Amino acid sequence: MNNINRIVLSAIVVIAAAPQFAAAHGGIYFHHVNGQPALGWNNPSTGLIDAWPDRVSRSNWNWHTATGAFSSSSPSWSTKPREGDILGFRVLTSLQKWDDTLGMFVDSAFDARITYTIAGNNYQVITNPANGTAGFEFAMTSSIAPDYWHLRHSLHGVAQDNPDATGVYRLNYEARRTFVASIDDAVLGTHAAGTTVVYPAFGMLFNRGAATDVYDRAFGYAKTNVVPEPATLAALALGLAGVARRRKSR
C-alpha cells in the first residue's frame, strides 16, 4: 500500500505591532537587484538588505507545546508592501529528509504542516486552502505598513518521543508577485500592470536533533541543489494534485 506524503496548510491571522521598516526583521527578503528578481536577507543589526547567495535558511525543530509538534517559525519573510499586489508561494516538493548514507535528500515518511501568520496593519489572509496544496497566496492591504510574516513549519502528527523524527528536513519554495498597477521602483523594479515576477527558488532546512556534522553536510548539499533535482520535479508532475505525492511502500 502506498503512503501519501503531503503538506497541509492552515492560516492564523495575526494583527501585530509592526516595526517601522521591514528590514528591522531578520529573514528572507524579495526584491529586485540590477533589474532582476532577487532574494536578499534582512540584517537586523544594520537594518539593510544583504545579498543571500546561499538561498537556504537554517533553523531547529524543537518541541512546541502550543501546537504539540516539532516546530519552528523562523525565519521571517518580507518585501516592500504595495496595496493590492498579490504574493504567491509555490511549494516545490513535499517534505524531504536528509539521508546521510546516500548524501542527498529523499522523501520523508512524515508530513509537514504549515501555518502562516501575517503581521502588519489590517493584513488579512486571502487564500486558506484546507487540504494538501501546492501553495498559497494573499493580497497586500496596505502600502504603508511594513509587510513581514512568519510561517510556522511543523512535523505533522509526530509524537515527541518518536525516535524516527531525528534528522534534517527540507522544504523548497518559489515566490511570485503580481503587480496590480504599473510600477517603477528602485526596490521592486519596473513592471506593467498585471505582470507576475517569479523570484529565485529557495530552501528551508529544519534540524530535529541531528548531529552538527550531519546538519552541515545537508546544508552543503542544499546550497548547491536549491532547485529540486529534475527527477524530483518529474515525480511531482506525475503525482497527486497539489504537492501531495505517492511514495512507494518500503
Side-chain angles (χ1 to χ4, degrees), residues 81-164:
R82 202 173 72 129
E83 187 171 356
D85 285 357
I86 306 295
L87 291 172
F89 298 93
R90 188 162 69 99
V91 186
L92 298 178
T93 63
S94 53
L95 185 66
Q96 298 178 322
K97 187 176 183 182
W98 176 251
D99 187 314
D100 205 40
T101 300
L102 295 178
M104 63 183 296
F105 284 93
V106 299
D107 271 351
S108 167
F110 305 121
D111 297 336
R113 176 174 289 276
I114 303 170
T115 55
Y116 49 103
T117 59
I118 309 303
N121 294 334
N122 300 318
Y123 275 51
Q124 299 292 322
V125 174
I126 302 301
T127 301
N128 179 21
N131 300 310
T133 176
F136 56 96
E137 64 180 24
F138 55 85
M140 294 182 177
T141 59
S142 173
S143 59
I144 300 174
D147 185 74
Y148 71 96
W149 57 100
H150 286 271
L151 276 71
R152 179 166 290 282
H153 296 83
S154 307
L155 273 176
H156 182 49
V158 178
Q160 187 175 8
D161 59 354
N162 188 333
D164 295 331

Side-chain angles (χ1 to χ4, degrees), residues 174-243:
E174 180 185 83
R176 56 190 61 207
R177 179 173 184 157
T178 300
F179 296 91
V180 296
S182 61
I183 184 173
D184 184 2
D185 184 88
V187 174
L188 298 176
T190 302
H191 309 287
T195 300
T196 297
V197 170
V198 178
Y199 296 94
F202 62 97
M204 302 184 74
L205 297 189
F206 307 96
N207 184 19
R208 165 76 292 277
T212 301
D213 59 334
V214 174
Y215 197 11
D216 288 343
R217 284 192 290 272
F219 179 62
Y221 178 91
K223 287 194 300 182
T224 56
N225 296 275
V226 176
V227 178
E229 299 78 359
T232 300
L233 292 177
L236 278 171
L238 297 174
L240 298 175
V243 359

